[in-house]
């Protein structure tokens, strides 16, 4: 991490800046822009302790984040964390921000007493997979399966 990047755990004061980044993250995955929805989602996760968000700043502004969700291993009777979301805005990429966020997420999980941290990415995302391997993450031999349900209507 270069000296211009700082990582800290997000709190209520970070909600507006985070909502903008989270909205951009969702757009990256093909969702329409919806800042109120992004803000509400983050507010609820943070308020109820359902997730931990680490925010990266450069030059005083928020430029990226990771969102972690708690998970539990029944076999190992221990806590783990899922790194569900990782995003760095376009203007701050290729400056070590994503790697700094990955390392901070791992440090957080370790300090929290978890036995590990995991993430999922698509097999064709070569850039992300290279980043994760460079940060010391292992590609597991397991296969994820999913079962989709009809879209929620509001």
């Amino acid at each position: 991490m270069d000296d211009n990047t700082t990582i800290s755990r997000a709190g209520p004061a970070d909600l507006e800046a985070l909502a903008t980044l989270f909205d951009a993250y969702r757009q990256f995955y093909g969702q329409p822009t919806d800042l109120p929805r992004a803000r509400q989602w983050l507010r609820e996760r943070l308020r109820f302790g359902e997730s931990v968000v680490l925010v990266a700043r450069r030059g005083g502004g928020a430029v990226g984040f990771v969102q972690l969700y708690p998970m539990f291993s029944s076999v190992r009777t221990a806590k783990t964390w899922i790194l569900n979301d990782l995003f760095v805005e376009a203007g701050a990429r290729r400056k070590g921000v994503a790697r700094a966020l990955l390392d901070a997420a791992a440090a957080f999980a370790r300090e929290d007493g978890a036995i590990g941290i995991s993430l999922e990415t698509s097999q064709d995302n070569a850039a992300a997979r290279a980043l994760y391997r460079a940060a010391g993450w292992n590609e597991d031999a397991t296969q994820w399966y999913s079962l989709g349900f009809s879209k929620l209507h509001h």
Side-chain angles (χ1 to χ4, degrees):
M1 179 168 74
D2 67 37
D3 294 339
N4 297 320
T5 302
T6 60
I7 310 283
S8 60
R9 185 167 176 175
D14 300 303
L15 188 59
E16 285 309 312
L18 269 178
T20 300
L21 288 171
F22 191 65
D23 189 52
Y25 167 75
R26 294 185 69 245
Q27 289 177 66
F28 179 81
Y29 284 102
Q31 298 300 311
T33 182
D34 190 339
L35 197 55
R37 185 175 188 162
R39 185 184 302 110
Q40 182 69 14
W41 178 263
L42 288 169
R43 180 185 290 121
E44 289 175 359
R45 300 295 77 72
L46 296 174
R47 177 188 296 155
F48 301 119
E50 294 173 342
S51 75
V52 167
V53 178
L54 303 178
V55 60
R57 292 180 183 81
R58 287 176 64 84
V63 296
F65 72 93
V66 289
Q67 183 162 218
L68 308 168
Y69 291 108
M71 188 77 170
F72 300 90
S73 170
S74 298
V75 171
R76 297 174 74 181
T77 58
K79 186 178 193 179
T80 66
W81 286 89
I82 303 287
L83 194 163
N84 201 73
D85 312 310
L86 169 63
F87 181 76
V88 176
E89 68 180 13
R93 292 181 189 154
R94 311 219 45 90
K95 294 179 170 67
V97 177
R99 174 62 186 269
L101 284 164
L102 278 176
D103 292 347
F108 167 82
R110 191 178 296 112
E111 290 162 15
D112 186 57
I115 58 166
I117 185 171
S118 60
L119 61 82
E120 178 189 7
T121 193
S122 58
Q123 292 180 336
D124 63 1
N125 193 341
R129 290 173 65 188
L131 168 68
Y132 303 142
R133 285 193 302 268
W137 292 61
N138 302 308
E139 288 191 353
D140 297 339
T142 55
Q143 175 63 54
W144 284 86
Y145 290 83
S146 63
L147 180 64
F149 302 113
S150 62
K151 193 173 177 180
L152 293 174
H153 297 287
H154 292 282

